[in-house]
Amino acid sequence: MDAHRRQSSSSTTTGGGTNNNKTAELDPVLHSIGFEIEEVSPSQLTGRLPVTGRCCQPFKVLHGGVSALVAEGLASMGAHMASGYRRVAGVSLSINHFRSAAVGDVVLARAAPVHVGRSTQVWEVKLWKEDPSAPGKQGPQISESRVTLLCNLPVPESLKNAGDAFKKYAAASSSRL
C-alpha cells in the first residue's frame, strides 16, 4: 500500500471526529466497520468507508456484503426521514458490483431517493473509490444498489424518539447550505 493511501486511511479513522460520533449515534453497525456518515437529509445521505481488514473478504478487497450493508443502512435512514420519521423495513435489495476496492482505499457512498410514495420508497445507493490524487473526489464506481422499503409502518410507543438524532443531524446539514 502506498504512503498516500495509508495516510488517507488512517486520517479518516482516527480522532473521534464529529462524523464518527454522528455515525455511532445514527447507525452503530455501520460505525462498527468504520463507516463515517457525512451528509444527512431526507433527499440524500453521503459517507465514506476506509477499507480495512475488518470489512474485507480473505483476498483483502471490500466484502460484497459490506457494500450491501452500506446500501441498506443509508437507504433505510433516508427512507425513515423521508417518511416523516415512520418505521421502515427493507423488502428488496439489488446490487451490482463493478470493481473492487482494496485495503487502503477509501470508498465514498451516496444514497438518494428514486421514488418516495406513501407506502413504499425506492432508493439508489452508489459506491465509488475515492480518487487518491484528489481526496473527497469520486474515482471509479464500485457498485450500484436499489433498495425498496416499506415506509408506512407505525413506530412503537417505546421507540417514539427514534427519529430525534436524525432530526438533529438533518437540521445541522441544512443549516450549512
Side-chain angles (χ1 to χ4, degrees), residues 2 23 28 32 58 69 79 83 86 89 92 114 118 121 125 128 130 143 146 154 157 162 164:
D2 63 39
T23 307
S32 73
L69 173 67
S83 70
R86 297 191 54 87
S92 176
V114 174
R118 288 183 302 215
Q121 293 185 33
V125 183
W128 298 268
E130 181 178 58
S143 69
R146 289 264 174 157
E157 192 60 42
D164 290 353

Side-chain angles (χ1 to χ4, degrees), residues 89-103:
V91 294
S92 176
L93 168 66
S94 171
I95 186 167
N96 290 300
H97 301 280
F98 305 125
R99 56 184 47 86
S100 62
V103 169

Side-chain angles (χ1 to χ4, degrees), residues 33-36 47-51 55 62 66 70 105-108:
I33 61 167
F35 191 85
E36 299 174 5
R48 61 192 304 109
L49 175 66
V51 180
C55 57
L62 183 65
V66 170
V70 170
D105 286 334
V106 174
V107 172
L108 304 177

Side-chain angles (χ1 to χ4, degrees), residues 145-167:
S145 306
R146 289 264 174 157
V147 184
T148 303
L149 306 106
L150 287 175
C151 60
N152 61 352
L153 303 171
V155 177
E157 192 60 42
S158 62
L159 299 174
K160 287 291 184 195
N161 298 327
D164 290 353
F166 291 99
K167 293 174 187 173

